[in-house]
Amino acid sequence: MISIITEEVLDAAREMNRRDVRRAEQSLEGEHQDNINPSPREDEDDEIWAKYEGIEGLKGAEGQPVKGGTSYYSYGPYARNRRLLADIALACGWKVEKARILERRFIKRSAKHMSACKNPSIDLSNPSQPKVKRGIPFTFQHVSMETIRLYMQTEMKDIDPAKMAVIKAAVLDLYGTNSKGRKKIPVYPPGTKRVDDETFPVSKEDVERAQEELDKEARYRKATRMHFLDRQNYIPPDKVKLRIKAFLKSSGMSKEDFCKAIHVTEDAFEAFMSERKKRPQLESKVYHEAPPYISEQKGEGKPARKRKRDIADLDINWL
C-alpha cells in the first residue's frame, strides 16, 4: 500500500507551520505588509515541497503526475491530506511508522465504503493496494475531509485515544471543510503562547476547549442511548433540576458546596439550571453528576433487578 508520509514530509510540514505562524503574528501586529509574500499559498506550498528530496506527488497508471482535486466533487486526490497527516503526526509526537497505521486504517475504511456503492469507484481486486477506475493507486490523498472528521475518533480509540483532543485542536479545527481545506492558524492576542510553532501551533487553552467539546459530545451520546435503550434509568432534565432543588432545600447544603461535591463550576451549574434547550442540558456535566450524588447522599441504591424465573422453579407435574 502506497504511503504519502515520510520524514521529509514531516520536515516540510514543520516549515509550513513556521511560515503560517509568522504570517498570523504579522497580521496581528500590522507589520510591513510588503514583507509578506503576495504569491498564492498553494504556490508557496509547492516551493516548500520541492525543497525536500523524496517527496513526490501522486502518479497515474503510466507514471504521469496527477493534479490535486480542486472541487468538492472531484473525489480527490486532495493535496491537503499530505500536510494534514503530517500535522497529526507532529502534534501527537508520532514517528512515521505510527502515522502510517492511521493512514492505512483510513485507506481501508474509505476504499471499502466507496467499493460498496451502487456504482463502485474503487477497484479492490488487490486489497493491499486499492485503485480508482483510472488505475491510479488509492491513497490517503483520496480520503475526503468528511470521512476524516467522521471516523477520526473511532480510529484513534485503538491507536492513541489520549491524543484526540490534541488532533481536534491542533489539526481538525484549523482546516477548512472544502476540498482544498486551507489551514488557518489562529491569531492570538499578545501574551498568548503557542505550545510549539513547528508542531503544535495552538495554545493549551485551545486543547482544553477541544477536550470539553469532546466530553460534551460523549455525555450527549450517553444520555441519548439511555433515553432509547434504558428508559427505566433515564431521568429527563426537568426532573433532575427538581431533584437538585429539593435536595438543596432538604439537606441545607449550599450551592457552592454542592458544586464542589459534583466537581462543576458555579457558572456551569447556573447555566444548566437556566437552560431550556434539551441538547445543552443533556451535554451538561451537572445533568450526569448530580443524580448519582444525590442518590448516594440519601442512601438510595439501584433497585434490584427481578430474577427471571426458570421453568425448573415451577412446581408443575408435566406427566
Side-chain angles (χ1 to χ4, degrees):
M1 188 173 293
I2 295 177
S3 175
I4 64 171
I5 186 79
T6 63
E7 290 293 345
E8 290 81 6
V9 171
L10 296 182
D11 291 338
R14 289 189 185 96
E15 183 172 343
M16 291 180 189
N17 284 335
R18 287 197 304 270
R19 175 204 63 193
D20 292 344
V21 168
R22 187 167 58 251
R23 279 194 165 187
E25 292 174 349
Q26 287 175 342
S27 66
L28 175 66
E29 297 171 2
E31 290 185 356
H32 315 288
Q33 295 297 319
D34 294 339
N35 295 333
I36 300 178
N37 192 339
S39 62
R41 185 80 59 85
E42 291 77 11
D43 293 344
E44 287 187 36
D45 288 354
D46 289 342
E47 292 176 4
I48 293 175
W49 290 125
K51 287 167 57 177
Y52 294 88
E53 297 181 1
I55 297 180
E56 296 181 353
L58 290 178
K59 293 184 178 181
E62 299 178 359
Q64 73 278 17
V66 178
K67 188 68 176 175
T70 57
S71 166
Y72 180 81
Y73 301 99
S74 65
Y75 302 105
Y78 307 115
R80 162 211 64 213
N81 284 19
R82 181 167 49 183
R83 183 183 177 188
L84 185 145
L85 183 59
D87 282 336
I88 291 174
L90 293 175
C92 294
W94 292 349
K95 294 188 179 297
V96 170
E97 291 73 18
K98 192 163 186 178
R100 285 176 177 168
I101 296 174
L102 181 68
E103 179 184 31
R104 287 193 297 270
R105 292 175 74 106
F106 266 109
I107 291 172
K108 290 178 180 179
R109 178 184 286 276
S110 186
K112 185 177 180 180
H113 172 74
M114 295 175 71
S115 66
C117 300
K118 185 176 181 180
N119 297 311
S121 56
I122 296 294
D123 176 12
L124 282 179
S125 57
N126 180 8
S128 63
Q129 182 54 72
K131 292 183 179 180
V132 298
K133 283 187 174 180
R134 292 167 291 171
I136 301 170
F138 185 86
T139 72
F140 188 77
Q141 284 190 265
H142 289 88
V143 182
S144 69
M145 180 63 90
E146 181 182 14
T147 299
I148 293 172
R149 293 183 184 279
L150 185 61
Y151 293 108
M152 181 61 74
Q153 195 165 352
T154 301
E155 300 296 352
M156 285 298 293
K157 283 182 180 179
D158 295 331
I159 300 174
D160 201 345
K163 296 293 178 63
M164 187 57 214
V166 168
I167 291 177
K168 177 174 170 55
V171 184
L172 297 183
D173 288 352
L174 304 188
Y175 278 87
T177 56
N178 61 6
S179 60
K180 289 184 179 179
R182 180 177 295 172
K183 185 177 183 180
K184 187 175 181 180
I185 298 291
V187 178
Y188 294 126
T192 304
K193 291 185 178 181
R194 303 177 192 273
V195 178
D196 185 272
D197 289 356
E198 291 188 350
T199 63
F200 208 126
V202 295
S203 67
K204 291 182 179 179
E205 290 75 15
D206 287 330
V207 180
E208 292 172 358
R209 281 192 290 270
Q211 184 62 61
E212 178 58 24
E213 290 177 12
L214 292 172
D215 291 342
K216 283 183 178 179
E217 182 64 29
R219 289 194 290 265
Y220 177 72
R221 289 198 303 267
K222 178 181 178 181
T224 51
R225 280 198 301 267
M226 186 176 292
H227 176 64
F228 291 107
L229 302 177
D230 191 10
R231 298 295 294 271
Q232 183 178 356
N233 294 315
Y234 173 76
I235 307 175
D238 289 342
K239 289 189 176 181
V240 172
K241 294 178 182 179
L242 292 176
R243 288 196 66 186
I244 292 173
K245 292 177 181 178
F247 174 76
L248 293 178
K249 185 176 181 180
S250 62
S251 66
M253 179 181 281
S254 67
K255 181 178 66 177
E256 294 78 9
D257 291 339
F258 183 75
C259 290
K260 290 179 181 178
I262 62 174
H263 309 291
V264 300
T265 63
E266 291 185 38
D267 290 342
F269 177 82
E270 293 294 346
F272 171 72
M273 298 301 286
S274 61
E275 184 61 64
R276 292 292 176 265
K277 294 182 179 179
K278 189 171 184 180
R279 174 156 187 158
Q281 293 180 74
L282 297 180
E283 290 176 342
S284 173
K285 189 175 180 180
V286 178
Y287 171 78
H288 292 266
E289 298 294 334
Y293 175 76
I294 293 173
S295 297
E296 181 183 352
Q297 295 301 306
K298 289 186 173 183
E300 300 173 354
K302 289 185 178 180
R305 293 189 176 184
K306 293 183 178 179
R307 185 175 68 89
K308 291 183 179 180
R309 298 182 67 185
D310 191 270
I311 193 171
D313 295 337
L314 301 177
D315 188 15
I316 299 177
N317 185 359
W318 299 96
L319 298 178

